[in-house]
Amino acid sequence: MLKTGLTHETKVKVEENMTAGALRSGLVPVLATPVLLAIIENTCYECVMDHLEPGQTTVGTGVNITHEAPTPVGMTVTASCRLKEVEGRRLVFQIEVKDEHEIVSRGDHERFIVDMDKFVAKSRQKAL
């Protein structure tokens, strides 16, 4: 059973293919917001993955974050999360991302625990 207070941290070095220019989400050669969000989601998933039942995973369902500062290629960002709410299958994480100089992002990320086989089967039904 998951309890509030779990924490996790990941470090990621920004590479050229992670920039706004490379993703066409802008022109600047800095960490793109979509990649920032992917780092946050991965950090939160990794926080709880060892606490789930066999066959379960989590999926992102909500996000409320800032992107406060640019991070250039070659710099490392550190994403930290803390599980702050557990309500049935609903999980809410408080997040903060820093680069080597300042806070880059902060906010909340919501995930839901799902049965992986049922979730994938439901998505395949839509493809038919």
Side-chain angles (χ1 to χ4, degrees):
M1 182 170 177
L2 285 169
K3 294 186 180 179
T4 60
L6 286 176
T7 61
H8 189 69
E9 180 178 282
T10 57
K11 293 181 183 287
V12 177
K13 185 175 181 179
V14 178
E15 298 179 9
E16 185 65 39
N17 66 342
M18 302 164 77
T19 66
L23 291 181
R24 301 180 56 118
S25 67
L27 298 175
V28 291
V30 298
L31 179 66
T33 303
V35 175
L36 174 66
L37 178 55
I39 293 167
I40 289 167
E41 284 201 292
N42 180 260
T43 302
C44 295
Y45 165 73
E46 287 181 354
C47 181
V48 298
M49 62 188 251
D50 291 337
H51 301 275
L52 300 174
E53 298 294 323
Q56 289 183 329
T57 191
T58 63
V59 295
T61 55
V63 63
N64 182 13
I65 62 168
T66 60
H67 193 167
E68 302 174 24
T71 304
V73 172
M75 192 171 281
T76 297
V77 293
T78 302
S80 304
C81 73
R82 181 182 64 82
L83 181 57
K84 71 176 195 174
E85 289 180 44
V86 178
E87 184 182 297
R89 296 182 303 127
R90 180 178 171 264
L91 310 174
V92 179
F93 299 85
Q94 179 180 8
I95 64 93
E96 184 176 85
V97 182
K98 297 179 181 179
D99 64 22
E100 297 165 25
H101 297 284
E102 62 192 325
I103 293 174
V104 173
S105 179
R106 55 186 140 200
D108 294 323
H109 176 46
E110 179 184 270
R111 298 185 72 78
F112 266 77
I113 299 170
V114 298
D115 177 280
M116 193 169 353
D117 290 340
K118 288 180 184 176
F119 192 82
V120 171
K122 183 175 180 177
S123 72
R124 287 186 178 144
Q125 288 291 335
K126 289 183 174 186
L128 299 177

